[in-house]
Amino acid sequence: MRRLFLTIIATLMAFGYSWAGDYERYYQNLPTKVTPVTTFSLPENQVSLTDFGGIGDGVTLNTEAFRKAISALQKKGGGRLIVPDGVWLTGPISLKDSIDLHLERNAIIYFSPDKRLYVPEDGEKNRALPCIRASKRKNIAITGEGIIDGNGSQWRPVKRSKQSDVEWKQYLAMGGMVAEEGSLWYPWQMTNGYPDIADTPQLQENMRNDLLRLTDCVNVLLQGVTFQNAPRFHVHPCNCRNVIVDGITVRCPWNAQNGDGIDFSDVNVGLIVGCTVDVGDDGICMKSSAAKPASPANGCEDIVVEGNTVYHAHGGFVLGSNTTSGIRRMVVRHNRFSGTDTGLRFKSAVGRGGKTEQLFISDIVMSDITGEAIIFQCDYADRPAGEVKRNAPKKEVKANHVPDFQDIHIRNIVCRGCKTGIKASGIEGMNSVHDIDIQDCSIVYRQNDMIVDEATAYLSTRNVVFTKDKK
């Protein structure tokens, strides 16, 4: 059977140019050797969602149509499932081997607010099913120019402090429950009439799902599509190998709880290029958890991140908080951050730390950064919405999975407007931030040029020019 190579032209309006899957050019003149991604092929088979009873009227539930279409393609060895113009209401979608989910420009896949659809059949209640998922699959693609909407407001808690009066009233009009003395809203007992799937709003909040979660997959292409309004993380490949993220848009409200944009969790051989991210949490993030021997990838390695734009996010480019299996051989260059909370953010803690090796970050431009342009933090802690930070009594720290931020080289950073230029602190006696060199940078700051705990963090700076903002 004749094969159709997935080298689809993606027109990136934000950058004003178009390109055709010429990925080799991203591996030219790299400061370290990085294994390049490879394109893969799919059968030429093609079906439309409407061939299987799909109706894009925004009312009809299309879960079964997606299942039948993907099953039919799988029996043929794979191919392209076309989602035509329309609003396609659906429950969770499970992708199979050699499937390209292709959205036409005016196609919107809209995930149902009925939480019962996302309860796993095995009764597992720790987490609802992702909106789109694949596990132990190969040759997976999501392409086109359409929109995938996770309808996240039906899942996410909301902090009153992050809402205007108008927005707060809009949430109250949806029903829900106000807790924590009026400081937090949960999507609980909503006016839409769909039942809840947990015993308490807090337990239901813990079940929030990802918009796209791919686990133990090999050969992934995400190209051109918009991913928006995730209940939790948006684009989340885990323990995957050979992942290409090319020209996608990721967006959600700036105050969306845990609204990460693109999270690579234990990805080996990856490329993130030409993407636009505007989200409520980390923008482009690398994570690494404990090794899983049966997975095709552990740790993050051989990754290039180039030509991306991050608007609002907790960090433009982020490492952590989990770095347990290590992050190595990575090049991050020619990206721009505008309006992020921090620019380059390295965060971890004892119990979730690991070693970084051969990380090269260069030619980054930033503007209007709320906090730090560059920050290293080794005491990071995740806290669910509503949990109050308390000063716990000090305990003896066991040196398991200690952060080891080292062999990181940062060059040619230009930042106009940040609270603090560079901030770094490690852990006493654990050598967790060392052998970091930063050079040839220009940083305009409002309050502090550098705040470095010299007893725990060891940075080398050369030709780094700090300028106090006079406005």
Side-chain angles (χ1 to χ4, degrees):
M1 180 180 293
R2 188 160 60 93
R3 296 279 179 170
L4 172 67
F5 276 90
L6 287 178
T7 53
I8 306 159
I9 296 177
T11 302
L12 304 180
M13 297 303 295
F15 289 86
Y17 61 90
S18 54
W19 46 308
D22 177 19
Y23 299 125
E24 291 184 3
R25 67 192 184 98
Y26 293 102
Y27 296 90
Q28 305 300 313
N29 303 315
L30 295 183
T32 189
K33 186 177 180 180
V34 175
T35 301
V37 295
T38 57
T39 56
F40 56 94
S41 60
L42 295 180
E44 202 175 37
N45 303 316
Q46 181 172 293
V47 299
S48 172
L49 190 60
T50 57
D51 298 337
F52 299 86
I55 301 174
D57 59 1
V59 177
T60 303
L61 190 66
N62 290 282
T63 312
E64 188 65 8
F66 275 107
R67 188 195 67 78
K68 288 180 178 179
I70 291 170
S71 178
L73 276 174
Q74 185 183 28
K75 291 177 181 178
K76 295 179 180 181
R80 171 174 289 178
L81 169 55
I82 295 178
V83 183
D85 292 3
V87 178
W88 306 89
L89 184 69
T90 185
I93 298 170
S94 179
L95 298 178
K96 307 298 182 183
D97 289 344
S98 300
I99 298 294
D100 173 19
L101 181 64
H102 183 80
L103 286 76
E104 294 187 343
R105 179 173 177 79
N106 290 329
I108 300 177
I109 296 176
Y110 193 87
F111 284 92
S112 171
D114 188 350
K115 297 181 179 68
R116 294 172 298 180
L117 299 173
Y118 306 88
V119 177
E121 292 181 1
D122 60 8
E124 175 61 48
K125 293 185 177 181
N126 290 332
R127 182 67 56 82
L129 291 173
C131 297
I132 302 178
R133 70 188 189 278
S135 178
K136 299 179 181 178
R137 298 293 177 180
K138 60 183 179 181
N139 302 341
I140 296 292
I142 301 177
T143 65
E145 298 180 81
I147 294 173
I148 299 174
D149 193 311
N151 198 10
S153 62
Q154 300 293 321
W155 291 89
R156 296 189 300 259
V158 172
K159 294 179 179 179
R160 177 66 181 94
S161 61
K162 291 187 174 183
Q163 311 295 321
S164 68
D165 291 343
V166 172
E167 290 171 316
W168 186 248
K169 289 178 181 178
Q170 290 173 343
Y171 280 105
L172 296 180
M174 295 167 60
M177 186 188 82
V178 178
E180 310 293 338
E181 298 181 345
S183 65
L184 192 66
W185 176 88
Y186 286 102
W188 179 258
Q189 297 180 351
M190 303 283 274
T191 57
N192 60 27
Y194 293 113
D196 296 299
I197 57 173
D199 295 333
T200 69
Q202 292 81 7
L203 288 174
Q204 185 165 274
E205 191 273 333
N206 288 336
M207 294 177 67
R208 279 190 295 146
N209 50 356
D210 294 341
L211 179 53
L212 172 66
R213 185 181 180 94
L214 307 175
T215 305
D216 296 334
C217 294
V218 177
N219 297 342
V220 175
L221 173 65
L222 309 177
Q223 190 177 62
V225 175
T226 294
F227 296 85
Q228 67 181 31
N229 292 328
R232 189 170 171 263
F233 298 165
H234 286 80
V235 174
H236 194 194
C238 305
N239 299 99
C240 294
R241 174 176 290 274
N242 196 48
V243 179
I244 302 169
V245 183
D246 170 6
I248 69 170
T249 297
V250 185
R251 58 189 295 270
C252 68
W254 73 271
N255 45 18
Q257 189 75 15
N258 305 118
D260 285 28
I262 302 172
D263 282 0
F264 272 18
S265 293
D266 294 281
V267 170
N268 290 180
V269 188
L271 182 66
I272 303 174
V273 291
C275 299
T276 300
V277 179
D278 190 354
V279 293
D281 209 306
D282 293 333
I284 298 173
C285 183
M286 304 291 133
K287 303 175 185 290
S288 172
S289 299
K292 299 177 181 178
S295 293
N298 286 287
C300 278
E301 63 182 44
D302 294 311
I303 296 172
V304 172
V305 180
E306 182 169 340
N308 305 285
T309 298
V310 181
Y311 293 108
H312 185 272
H314 285 185
F317 177 78
V318 181
L319 259 62
S321 57
N322 289 354
T323 57
T324 309
S325 292
I327 298 177
R328 48 199 167 263
R329 296 190 303 280
M330 185 176 302
V331 176
V332 181
R333 62 184 183 179
H334 302 298
N335 300 286
R336 57 186 182 180
F337 311 147
S338 181
T340 60
D341 290 350
T342 59
L344 301 173
R345 187 183 190 190
F346 305 84
K347 59 177 180 176
S348 194
V350 172
R352 59 176 64 182
K355 189 176 184 179
T356 61
E357 303 173 71
Q358 300 179 59
L359 269 58
F360 293 84
I361 303 172
S362 68
D363 301 290
I364 309 293
V365 295
M366 313 180 194
S367 63
D368 298 325
I369 305 302
T370 305
E372 299 83 10
I374 302 170
I375 180 171
F376 292 86
Q377 178 185 6
C378 295
D379 60 353
Y380 182 81
D382 287 321
R383 292 185 177 85
E387 181 177 310
V388 179
K389 181 178 180 181
R390 296 179 176 87
N391 293 321
K394 289 187 177 181
K395 300 178 182 179
E396 182 179 351
V397 177
K398 294 183 179 180
N400 295 324
H401 302 301
V402 175
D404 189 4
F405 291 124
Q406 60 98 45
D407 198 4
I408 300 175
H409 313 275
I410 300 174
R411 305 279 191 275
N412 300 324
I413 307 299
V414 178
C415 176
R416 172 71 199 195
C418 60
K419 180 180 178 181
T420 300
I422 301 172
K423 186 175 182 179
S425 61
I427 303 170
E428 187 174 353
M430 292 189 178
N431 201 28
S432 52
V433 180
H434 63 101
D435 295 299
I436 313 292
D437 66 275
I438 305 172
Q439 70 180 51
D440 301 326
C441 300
S442 174
I443 299 175
V444 179
Y445 66 93
R446 295 187 300 275
Q447 292 189 16
N448 305 286
D449 51 3
M450 291 182 65
I451 302 177
V452 176
D453 181 359
E454 295 183 354
T456 62
Y458 309 99
L459 278 64
S460 170
T461 59
R462 182 162 61 91
N463 193 30
V464 176
V465 178
F466 296 99
T467 305
K468 181 70 179 290
D469 192 348
K470 297 180 180 179
K471 68 177 181 180

